[in-house]
Structure formats: structure tokens, C-alpha cells
Amino acid sequence: MSSAPKPVATDAAPAAIGPYSQAMVAGGFAFLSGQIALDPATGALIDGGVEAQTDQVMANLKAVITAAGGTVAGIVKTTIYLVDMNDFAVVNARYAAALGDHRPARATVEVSRLPKDVRVEIDAVVCL
């Protein structure tokens, strides 16, 4: 029998703003909740447009992945949520820069609204 899922929590990423964990580890994988562009130290939305928001989202994801015991190279799947598909090229460029040569499976969807009215949210599944 496999062990029970374990929550992941780190001060290096924003605290959950609802009844969920930053990630759950189960079966050799970490399932990361969506990250938005919050400053981990203050919990406040960072200044800047979608490019700065994407950089912060990727930094937050990396912090949770590290806390779960993984690396960016272990990301197997991400989902990007955008409030405006016109931001796709900018988000795609910042996402690619953050991942280097690693290319996980991915879906990108446009949504009507995101928490705190951010422009981008990204979640991930990571093989540990």
C-alpha cells in the first residue's frame, strides 16, 4: 500500500489564499496548485505587467517544486491560465526562459478571471 498524500508548504512561495495546499506529494509526483504573481514575503500582488507576473509565477512554482524535493527538470505537465490570449507570446517567452531546454507537456487556456485579477496563473505536475 502506498503512503498517504503529504502536503507541501514553504515560506519561499506565497501562502495558500484558500482551503488548499501549495502542493501535494503522492505516488512519486508533486501536484502543484496554481501560482499567481504574489510576493512570498508580503503576500501582495507584485507590480508590473504580464511579463513581470509570469516571472514571479515561475519563481513561485520553482520554490514549491524545491520544497517538494523536485527540480524544474522533473516537471511533466503544466497548465497556463490567461485572462487574455493576446498575452500568450509574452508569457510563452518568459515561461521558456524559466525552463531553459526543458519542455514539459502543457495546455494553455483563456479564462474570464483569475484570483486577485492577475493576468496569468500556472500549475504543474512534477515527477520527484
Side-chain angles (χ1 to χ4, degrees), residues 50 82-91 110 119:
V50 71
L82 298 173
V83 294
D84 186 347
M85 198 57 82
N86 290 317
D87 290 336
F88 180 83
V90 171
V91 171
E110 184 177 64
R119 309 279 307 160

Coordinates of all heavy atoms in Angstrom, one line a residue, residues 50 82-91 110 119:
V50 N 2.2 41.6 -17.4 CA 2.1 40.2 -17.6 C 3.5 39.6 -17.6 O 3.7 38.4 -17.1 CB 1.3 39.7 -18.8 CG1 2.0 40.0 -20.1 CG2 0.9 38.3 -18.7
L82 N -4.7 32.2 -18.8 CA -4.5 33.6 -19.2 C -5.9 34.3 -19.2 O -6.8 33.7 -19.7 CB -3.9 33.7 -20.6 CG -2.5 33.1 -20.8 CD1 -2.1 33.2 -22.2 CD2 -1.5 33.9 -19.9
V83 N -5.9 35.5 -18.8 CA -7.2 36.3 -19.0 C -7.3 36.9 -20.3 O -8.3 37.3 -20.7 CB -7.4 37.3 -17.9 CG1 -7.6 36.7 -16.5 CG2 -6.3 38.4 -17.9
D84 N -6.2 36.9 -21.1 CA -6.2 37.5 -22.4 C -5.2 36.7 -23.3 O -4.0 36.7 -23.0 CB -5.8 38.9 -22.4 CG -5.9 39.6 -23.7 OD1 -6.1 38.9 -24.8 OD2 -5.9 40.9 -23.8
M85 N -5.7 35.9 -24.3 CA -4.8 35.1 -25.1 C -3.8 36.0 -25.9 O -2.8 35.5 -26.4 CB -5.6 34.2 -26.0 CG -4.8 33.1 -26.6 SD -4.1 32.0 -25.4 CE -5.4 30.9 -25.0
N86 N -4.1 37.3 -26.0 CA -3.1 38.2 -26.6 C -1.8 38.3 -25.8 O -0.8 38.7 -26.3 CB -3.7 39.6 -26.8 CG -4.8 39.7 -27.8 OD1 -4.6 39.1 -28.9 ND2 -5.9 40.3 -27.5
D87 N -1.8 37.8 -24.5 CA -0.6 37.8 -23.7 C 0.2 36.5 -24.0 O 1.3 36.4 -23.4 CB -1.0 37.8 -22.2 CG -1.5 39.2 -21.8 OD1 -1.2 40.2 -22.4 OD2 -2.2 39.2 -20.8
F88 N -0.3 35.6 -24.8 CA 0.4 34.3 -25.0 C 1.9 34.4 -25.4 O 2.7 33.7 -24.8 CB -0.4 33.5 -26.1 CG 0.2 32.2 -26.3 CD1 -0.1 31.1 -25.5 CD2 1.1 32.0 -27.4 CE1 0.4 29.8 -25.7 CE2 1.7 30.7 -27.6 CZ 1.3 29.6 -26.7
A89 N 2.2 35.3 -26.3 CA 3.6 35.3 -26.8 C 4.5 35.8 -25.7 O 5.6 35.2 -25.5 CB 3.7 36.3 -28.0
V90 N 4.1 36.8 -24.9 CA 4.9 37.3 -23.8 C 5.1 36.2 -22.7 O 6.2 35.9 -22.2 CB 4.3 38.6 -23.2 CG1 5.1 39.0 -21.9 CG2 4.4 39.7 -24.2
V91 N 4.0 35.6 -22.3 CA 4.0 34.6 -21.3 C 4.9 33.4 -21.8 O 5.7 32.8 -21.0 CB 2.6 34.1 -20.9 CG1 2.6 32.9 -20.0 CG2 1.9 35.3 -20.2
E110 N -7.6 30.3 -22.1 CA -8.0 31.7 -21.7 C -9.2 31.5 -20.8 O -10.1 30.7 -21.0 CB -8.4 32.4 -22.9 CG -8.8 33.9 -22.6 CD -9.2 34.7 -23.9 OE1 -10.1 34.3 -24.6 OE2 -8.4 35.6 -24.2
R119 N -3.0 38.4 -14.3 CA -3.1 38.2 -15.8 C -2.8 36.7 -16.1 O -3.2 36.2 -17.2 CB -2.1 39.1 -16.5 CG -2.2 40.5 -16.2 CD -3.3 41.3 -16.9 NE -3.2 41.1 -18.4 CZ -4.3 41.3 -19.2 NH1 -5.4 41.7 -18.6 NH2 -4.2 41.1 -20.4

